[in-house]
Amino acid sequence: MAPIIHWFWRDLRVLDNAALHAAYSRSQTLVPVFIWDDTHLGWPHMGPAVRTFLSGSLAALEKNLQLLGHRLIIRQGNPEVELVRLARECGASAVLTNRDYEPATVAREQRVAEALAADGRRLESFKDLVIWESREVLTGTGNPYTIYTPYARARRARARQAPCPKLGAAKSAMPDGLTSVPLSSLTPTAPAAAAHYPPAGEHAALESLKTFLASGVFRYDVGRDFPAVEGGTSQLSPHFRVGTLGIRTALTRLETARAGGGAQGENGCRIWENELIWRDFYMQVLANFPHVAGSCFRPEYDQIQWSGTKEHFAAWCAGRTGYPIVDAAMRCLNATGFMHNRLRMIVAMFLTKDLMISWQQGERYFFEHLLDGDLAANSGGWQWSAGTGTDAAPYFRIFNPASQGAKFDPEGAFIRRWIPELRDVPADLIQCPGDNPLLLSRTRYPSPIVDHAVQRGKCLAMFKAVRQ
Ligand SMILES: Cc1cc2nc3c(=O)[nH]c(=O)nc-3n(C[C@H](O)[C@H](O)[C@H](O)COP(=O)(O)OP(=O)(O)OC[C@H]3O[C@@H](n4cnc5c(N)ncnc54)[C@H](O)[C@@H]3O)c2cc1C
């Protein structure tokens, strides 16, 4: 029986992996491969933070496979060329992989399928990254959903999907002579923040999931909006990003936790499930409306004349805007590669509505720094905040950063953690130090670079201009 190649991409795990499971079941000889494809390991697919996390996750995958008697082959180059070459070398008739939904990755898959077909072989792709794909959940009129709530309702009505079994031990040895590029030679230069990245790999992902489902999830409804609360959210997004955690596993284990969590924990479990549905929602938006990769979902907003300045953008990036909740969030992102969801909304709205800088610039900055940087969720989140996307906050809803800070970091604990200049400022003054010149002169913290009330008016005018 001919060997079968499994081509890893966003699925760096041996448990609950649809294509890997199929490849293993169908052949005596499995050839697992990861292609280090420089084109798809850069903008807009993968930023430096994700690339570093991916590299650690690959090392963990290599070990996990080894424990089962398999060997991970790593090749560098163009997958159309490398997969054909490897298939010839090992005599494989098929390459199996899990589908990704980014427009350029879809096109890549098509090119690989054609190259393999021209060589008398086939590419087979599987649903694995999401529970339901872009054309599986449609409105009554057969169109994709563009509003989250009815999409989630339709989704919940569908049957659940059980995880695939863990990869079994190697049944027979891989053909001799298959070369592999050592991972150490591909390891990208790690960003300074890498010292704060969580442990990579499937084992770490499952441990984090276990910890969160043992307690955090039951309080998720009350804790998830407060960045200072330890364990208020799962922080599993980097694992979902590189596929060291599968979505079916997460949902199935959530159901088990939910069954044992009683009525008190029910709300938290339900809301966490909603977040996982948001993930699929934005993936189907990207698949059905690929123009959201770079452009506004609502084309009229592509006409907006964003009037922000380079200096303001630099202040936002560095966490020196004079708005403490914004600055604390940005400094946290720069230092750790992670930012809490509530803070992402606050800083994104501040950049687009107060500084009037395009969401694409913010999206790019996030992408470069976030450990979970993902085209679908990032474009979705930025366009939601800017008011240009599907299901977006309407353009006239503009967060007041100080009020958001007072509501979601009432004691200023998160702000103090990231802005040492404000460590000694009491809670009632910490959200608006700019109102108190004496305080500012004592702290060396910058005064606000813009006046929120003034900018709000300008922003509304900017949006109205394109709506007319
Ligand atoms: C401006 C902006 C940009 C964002 N960029 C990204 C991004 O590049 N990558 C990314 O994974 N998420 C992004 N998000 C969504 C969200 O902020 C993160 O998924 C979340 O903060 C990750 O933390 P967590 O794992 O603790 O999430 P939890 O609250 O524990 O949620 C569990 C999981 O659900 C998914 N999820 C939660 N919220 C969302 C959402 N709004 N959209 C899509 N999936 C969601 C994530 O996979 C997450 O790990 C963005 C949100 C905004 C407002």
Side-chain angles (χ1 to χ4, degrees), residues 118-337:
D119 207 47
R121 303 165 210 276
R122 65 178 198 286
L123 178 75
E124 239 182 274
S125 69
F126 290 72
K127 174 172 79 171
D128 181 78
L129 189 57
V130 294
I131 293 289
W132 300 109
E133 289 185 316
S134 57
R135 307 301 299 178
E136 288 188 307
V137 182
L138 298 171
T139 64
T141 53
N143 292 313
Y145 281 97
T146 56
I147 309 277
Y148 170 80
T149 307
Y151 171 82
R153 202 178 304 125
R155 265 280 305 257
R156 283 173 181 282
R158 306 289 186 96
R160 301 201 178 281
Q161 290 163 15
C164 304
K166 187 178 171 186
L167 175 68
K171 295 180 230 172
S172 70
M174 209 186 258
D176 288 337
L178 298 181
T179 57
S180 181
V181 179
L183 194 50
S184 54
S185 70
L186 298 169
T187 304
T189 311
H196 298 277
Y197 291 173
E202 185 171 3
H203 178 68
L206 292 172
E207 280 301 304
S208 300
L209 177 67
K210 194 167 149 193
T211 306
F212 180 67
L213 293 182
S215 63
V217 72
F218 304 123
R219 288 176 273 109
Y220 185 74
D221 49 336
V222 287
R224 73 192 171 116
D225 264 323
F226 297 88
V229 171
E230 211 57 55
T233 70
S234 70
Q235 304 212 355
L236 284 166
S237 51
H239 290 294
F240 282 123
R241 174 64 185 83
V242 298
T244 37
L245 180 60
I247 187 70
R248 292 175 299 262
T249 299
L251 282 167
T252 305
R253 295 193 181 185
L254 169 66
E255 282 316 302
T256 309
R258 193 176 200 161
Q264 273 186 336
E266 170 54 25
N267 215 21
C269 293
R270 191 180 50 79
I271 297 178
W272 198 63
E273 184 185 1
N274 283 343
E275 301 307 317
L276 299 179
I277 298 177
W278 270 109
R279 178 179 172 273
D280 269 24
F281 175 71
Y282 282 136
M283 294 238 186
Q284 67 88 29
V285 168
L286 179 62
N288 285 310
F289 306 96
H291 71 278
V292 299
S295 304
C296 297
F297 172 74
R298 295 164 202 271
E300 68 270 25
Y301 290 132
D302 281 328
Q303 308 308 318
I304 292 175
Q305 299 294 315
W306 301 99
S307 56
T309 66
K310 274 191 198 145
E311 291 73 21
H312 282 174
F313 184 62
W316 179 83
C317 295
R320 297 195 57 77
T321 67
Y323 283 89
I325 195 71
V326 172
D327 293 344
M330 293 305 295
R331 293 185 193 189
C332 171
L333 171 66
N334 294 337
T336 67

Side-chain angles (χ1 to χ4, degrees), residues 10 21-22 45 69 76-77 80 92 99-100 122 143 153 161 202 220 267 303-304 341 352 390 423 440 453:
R10 290 186 65 165
H21 174 61
H45 315 287
Q76 186 175 20
E80 290 131 80
R99 283 191 281 279
D100 186 3
R122 65 178 198 286
N143 292 313
R153 202 178 304 125
Q161 290 163 15
E202 185 171 3
Y220 185 74
N267 215 21
Q303 308 308 318
I304 292 175
N341 181 59
T352 51
T390 57
R423 205 160 22 217
L440 274 190

